[in-house]
Amino acid sequence: MATMMLTSTLRGATGMIPHALPGLHGGRLAYITTAAAVEPWGFAHTMLTRRQLRQLGFRVTELDVSTAAAPDVRSTLSDADCIYVGGGNSFFLLQELRRSGADALLAERIADGIPYIGESAGSVIMSPDIGYCSIMDRTDRAPGLRDYKGLGLTDFHVVPHLGNPTMGQAARLIVERYSTELDLRALTDRQSLLVRDGGTTMLQS
């Protein structure tokens, strides 16, 4: 059964990861950095995230599916004990996951029971459709994306960064605009959703 931890920020979830996903200390973690590649803060964010993941005890292999060769994408995801998809632009991330074929590989690995951790964009892409996130993320970062169908591994739509000083207003506008149309799960930067065995639990750090 699928096990996914969907977060707003890694910093807000670090205290919960060892308890929600036990037994992974020392494991091989594939860190997909792609969403941050088109953001001005992306390099610094990737460095910080790498350090935090290593402090949690993971052996981290970074993977940018927008530049990696297909054999490297497959081998990195196939060898991982856990997969982490970081934050950034949700539309660019979805575009490059599709283009590289990593979307299907992710779905296969998660179905096989490999734990998945999504941060912000990495949580959004699990939704049935990510169009709602255009209020928060720029769609022009993904000019090759023809539709906004997500991976669909959840039947709800994560709204990250509720109450955040920078992105909180966009999160609030998403909730106001789509709350009557979509099953939204809004998260503050200190909340996560644990999806396991068909059930969903809200975690608070």
Side-chain angles (χ1 to χ4, degrees):
M1 294 292 288
T3 297
M4 298 186 289
M5 188 172 177
L6 306 178
T7 75
S8 277
T9 67
L10 176 58
R11 182 177 181 180
T14 51
M16 295 180 282
I17 289 174
H19 304 288
L21 304 174
L24 291 175
H25 190 276
R28 295 165 297 184
L29 180 140
Y31 168 26
I32 295 181
T33 64
T34 306
V38 291
E39 301 290 358
W41 43 261
F43 180 74
H45 176 78
T46 298
M47 288 182 59
L48 176 61
T49 300
R50 181 197 313 133
R51 183 167 71 243
Q52 290 174 322
L53 290 169
R54 287 176 175 167
Q55 288 172 346
L56 285 167
F58 291 110
R59 291 181 286 148
V60 179
T61 300
E62 292 179 29
L63 176 66
D64 182 353
V65 299
S66 70
T67 58
D72 293 334
V73 173
R74 176 169 289 278
S75 64
T76 300
L77 295 180
S78 297
D79 292 344
D81 300 309
C82 181
I83 297 171
Y84 184 94
V85 178
N89 186 282
S90 303
F91 298 96
F92 180 72
L93 173 60
L94 181 61
Q95 171 186 279
E96 295 306 307
L97 288 174
R98 285 187 188 176
R99 185 196 57 78
S100 65
D103 57 342
L105 290 172
L106 273 178
E108 289 174 12
R109 296 251 60 205
I110 293 169
D112 288 341
I114 296 300
Y116 175 90
I117 305 171
E119 176 195 22
S120 193
S123 298
V124 169
I125 60 164
M126 291 297 145
S127 305
D129 188 286
I130 72 167
Y132 69 100
C133 207
S134 63
I135 294 175
M136 183 175 291
D137 290 347
R138 291 176 54 176
T139 59
D140 62 350
R141 300 289 194 195
L145 197 60
R146 301 306 178 205
D147 65 77
Y148 299 146
K149 182 179 179 182
L151 272 65
L153 299 185
T154 67
D155 57 5
F156 54 83
H157 304 72
V158 173
V159 183
H161 307 305
L162 191 67
N164 179 280
T166 303
M167 292 174 282
Q169 182 178 7
R172 180 179 57 80
L173 290 173
I174 291 173
V175 172
E176 291 177 356
R177 168 67 178 81
Y178 291 105
S179 60
T180 60
E181 301 176 26
L182 303 174
D183 182 1
L184 300 178
R185 307 293 174 93
L187 301 175
T188 70
D189 287 352
R190 301 187 67 84
Q191 291 177 322
S192 302
L193 289 172
L194 180 63
V195 181
R196 177 182 287 154
D197 299 334
T200 304
T201 305
M202 176 72 78
L203 305 177
Q204 176 79 44
S205 65

